[in-house]
Amino acid sequence: MEKVKEFTLLDFEDVRLFVNGEWVTAASNSYFTLTNPSTGEVVTKIPRGGKVEAKDAIEAASQAFQSWSKLSAYERAEYLLKLRDLMFEHEEELAAIMSTEMGKAFTEARGEVKYAASFLTWYAEEARRIYGETIPASVPNKRLTVIKQPVGVIAAITPWNFPLAMMTRKLGPALAAGCTGVVKPASQSPLSALAFAKLVEKAGIPNGVVNIVAGATREISDEIFENPIVKKISFTGSTEVGKTLVEKSAPQLKKLALELGGHAPFIVFEDADLEKAAEGALASKFRNAGQTCVCANRIYVHENVREEFTNILVDKVKSLKVGNSIDETTQIGPLVNKEGVKKVEEHVSDAVAKGAVVLHGGKALGEEGCFYEPTVLGNVTKDMLIMNEETFGPVAPITTFHSEEEVIKEANDTIYGLAAYLYTSNISRAVRVSESLNFGVIGLNDGLPGTAQAPFGGMNQSGYGREGGHQGIRDYLEEKFISLSL
Ligand code: NAP
């Protein structure tokens, strides 16, 4: 780690988990190692938390809930804003930690710190707007009201591709609502969560309100799902794991929000501003080296503008700088691990074997690290793996279409329903197609639609629940109806 001169948040010689305001090692006395995907070097070792730490964390959160939930919304909002300010104060260090552990290009990592902090701002404000209701009664002697109360102890299970933002998108509304909880970060990105916990401590947030337990995934998640204290779980990750969690939530009917995988169509109509569309495709496809749930997976270009659009996109892709993620000039960092590279290689070779043409890139780079060239494929067809599964890598597959009706049908022909993009300058078409696409988030002439003040979430097998916006706090609240007879 060279980017930041001095690390003040974490001691890499002695990383610990955060339970009940204490920095603890694992009862199992075992550790797991974290490898830098840019260099293949070991970054540090982390205590392998398990059932014991998860149980302690849940009990600590339960204890803390008694007082945290009784604070006024204004008091909780003050804590969130203090935490937000601390994130800004430590932006460089948080970005460097993230970049080193999971390979996000440093400038993008810095952007993620800001994005993650924006959820704390938004939900500090939303805390003050948790309004109830009064309902006109049908008889004169009754008064009917609905109040909103925090659900209790929650758990957040987060992925490695947005280590901070996926955590604050859950913790922001949870803490604002009056909930306390446990975070289980991904094994490839525990340091970001633990560095964040240092800020939780600095902000003076009471012990037990936020706990971070990394380690033995199964053991921790079993405790989360089996412990009756936990009332709600918010999961962001793959559709495959999400489905297993639905089963695990059934015995206690735990509330579950699932933010899962996607397979976004990116549609370029013949009337689109092609320069803007290519810029949007570049941002959507190549952000985080193509490792995002909302990235453009299938680029549909109208046959009449295929050549022009492809040339513009290929030129832009050629200029992307690949390198060690910690380097400030890097635009495309490594993939998260060797399995990630293998999956991309499989998708590209499958596509080529079935007739795709490599217009740029098309191979892994170097011996060390987990790099893959930013790649554009032409002549892509529906039967290829890349058109059906998440690639999670920097590969843009281009196919063509002839009519609006045809492309809507193709775009919707997927088990996923997270994000979709369309570029057009025809206002009627823009409305018509946006309304016809079965996806939770639509980027209309916009390659980067995600923002704290808007609801984000999927349809179909991309999950259920919404995070962000005023909708994002709903799941952390119970609505209680009180009927008063005078
Ligand atoms: P993942 O393998 O499903 O893991 C996500 C989290 O779940 C990690 O903390 C992981 O822990 C944990 N986990 C894995 N197996 C588990 C199990 N059997 N029981 C309980 N927890 C388990 O996904 P990922 O590879 O980290 O993330 C990439 C996926 O997330 C992609 O599919 C992407 O599209 C999706 N994603 C969706 C959104 C959204 O908002 N919809 C946002 C970002 C990412 P370990 O790391 O310890 O295995």
Side-chain angles (χ1 to χ4, degrees):
M1 291 221 203
E2 297 131 24
K3 182 79 234 154
V4 174
K5 296 275 177 301
E6 198 188 1
F7 280 90
T8 57
L9 292 175
L10 293 179
D11 173 2
F12 286 90
E13 301 301 315
D14 185 20
V15 174
R16 296 186 176 214
L17 309 177
F18 188 60
V19 177
N20 200 17
E22 312 240 308
W23 293 93
V24 302
T25 54
S28 64
N29 204 22
S30 63
Y31 291 82
F32 64 100
T33 52
L34 188 65
T35 306
N36 180 337
S38 286
T39 60
E41 287 164 10
V42 170
V43 179
T44 184
K45 59 177 188 162
I46 292 123
R48 186 185 295 279
K51 185 177 172 62
V52 174
E53 292 71 31
K55 189 162 184 284
D56 288 352
I58 291 166
E59 282 167 6
S62 178
Q63 189 62 36
F65 179 75
Q66 304 310 320
S67 44
W68 182 256
S69 59
K70 303 283 182 315
L71 294 180
S72 74
Y74 282 72
E75 287 168 314
R76 289 197 296 268
E78 283 310 310
Y79 278 118
L80 287 180
L81 292 176
K82 196 157 178 205
L83 189 52
R84 184 267 320 261
D85 291 345
L86 284 163
M87 287 187 81
F88 286 139
E89 214 175 284
H90 293 272
E91 183 180 309
E92 292 272 309
E93 185 171 352
L94 290 170
I97 289 171
M98 186 192 304
S99 179
T100 305
E101 67 176 345
M102 52 65 72
K104 184 164 296 199
F106 181 77
T107 46
E108 256 191 59
R110 216 194 248 145
E112 182 178 337
V113 177
K114 290 195 181 76
Y115 179 50
S118 73
F119 288 102
L120 301 181
T121 312
W122 176 258
Y123 285 106
E125 290 159 356
E126 280 302 295
R128 304 172 174 128
R129 296 192 280 265
I130 302 174
Y131 302 136
E133 249 183 283
T134 60
I135 304 168
S138 47
V139 288
N141 68 329
K142 284 207 178 188
R143 299 292 179 270
L144 312 180
T145 53
V146 177
I147 61 166
K148 292 184 182 168
Q149 294 179 301
V151 294
V153 173
I154 63 102
I157 303 179
T158 55
W160 50 264
N161 65 343
F162 287 91
L164 282 176
M166 296 303 101
M167 188 172 57
T168 55
R169 203 165 76 172
K170 301 176 191 309
L171 281 182
L175 300 186
C179 298
T180 57
V182 182
V183 178
K184 207 296 288 168
S187 299
Q188 189 68 44
S189 60
L191 297 180
S192 294
L194 292 167
F196 176 82
K198 287 282 181 185
L199 302 182
V200 167
E201 192 178 36
K202 273 177 188 266
I205 291 177
N207 292 349
V209 170
V210 176
N211 304 273
I212 313 279
V213 181
T217 309
R218 247 330 149 79
E219 265 187 51
I220 298 167
S221 95
D222 283 353
E223 182 61 28
I224 286 172
F225 280 86
E226 287 164 17
N227 194 321
I229 293 173
V230 178
K231 301 298 178 208
K232 178 200 156 77
I233 296 138
S234 178
F235 171 79
T236 298
S238 59
T239 296
E240 190 191 356
V241 173
K243 286 180 185 176
T244 68
L245 300 186
V246 173
E247 284 177 30
K248 284 172 84 166
S249 70
Q252 293 178 23
L253 290 180
K254 284 190 198 287
K255 283 173 182 282
L256 186 60
L258 297 173
E259 296 287 349
L260 308 178
H263 205 272
F266 188 102
I267 307 169
V268 183
F269 285 98
E270 58 190 318
D271 53 33
D273 174 338
L274 296 185
E275 175 61 35
K276 190 173 175 185
E279 202 51 54
L282 193 79
S284 166
K285 177 71 254 182
F286 293 95
R287 187 165 63 116
N288 203 19
Q291 302 169 110
T292 75
C293 52
V294 289
C295 75
N297 283 278
R298 297 170 277 150
I299 303 181
Y300 296 94
V301 186
H302 192 278
E303 184 57 51
N304 294 350
V305 292
R306 176 186 56 83
E307 198 176 336
E308 196 182 341
F309 173 83
T310 303
N311 289 341
I312 302 174
L313 183 63
V314 169
D315 276 351
K316 287 184 188 296
V317 173
K318 277 182 184 163
S319 72
L320 290 174
K321 184 174 176 250
V322 182
N324 188 320
S325 58
I326 206 73
D327 182 339
E328 211 152 335
T329 62
T330 291
Q331 290 167 297
I332 303 286
L335 298 185
V336 70
N337 53 32
K338 292 281 183 202
E339 288 78 58
V341 177
K342 200 163 152 252
K343 185 168 189 197
V344 176
E345 285 178 323
E346 271 168 20
H347 277 202
V348 172
S349 57
D350 169 80
V352 170
K354 290 174 180 159
V357 180
V358 178
L359 300 171
H360 181 69
K363 55 181 192 311
L365 287 170
E367 293 293 303
E368 280 142 28
C370 304
F371 295 93
Y372 196 92
E373 280 181 304
T375 296
V376 182
L377 300 179
N379 279 6
V380 170
T381 49
K382 201 179 169 172
D383 56 328
M384 298 172 183
L385 280 179
I386 202 162
M387 292 296 273
N388 297 283
E389 293 176 13
E390 282 187 298
T391 306
F392 249 54
V395 185
I398 300 179
T399 189
T400 56
F401 68 93
H402 296 93
S403 73
E404 185 181 307
E405 198 185 16
E406 174 202 354
V407 78
I408 291 171
K409 189 163 169 282
E410 288 301 321
N412 283 336
D413 188 14
T414 170
I415 59 163
Y416 296 107
L418 189 56
Y421 306 83
L422 69 139
Y423 279 73
T424 177
S425 54
N426 177 327
I427 184 91
S428 302
R429 167 174 279 159
V431 173
R432 213 166 43 230
V433 179
S434 298
E435 291 178 358
S436 305
L437 291 169
N438 301 327
F439 296 81
V441 178
I442 305 288
L444 174 52
N445 294 335
D446 185 1
L448 296 170
T451 180
Q453 61 269 38
F456 182 99
M459 298 180 181
N460 216 342
Q461 293 188 31
S462 288
Y464 39 73
R466 288 293 180 269
E467 292 187 331
H470 67 85
Q471 295 87 343
I473 203 165
R474 278 196 310 227
D475 274 7
Y476 296 94
L477 295 163
E478 292 284 10
E479 295 193 17
K480 187 182 281 177
F481 165 52
I482 303 173
S483 175
L484 167 68
S485 177
L486 300 175

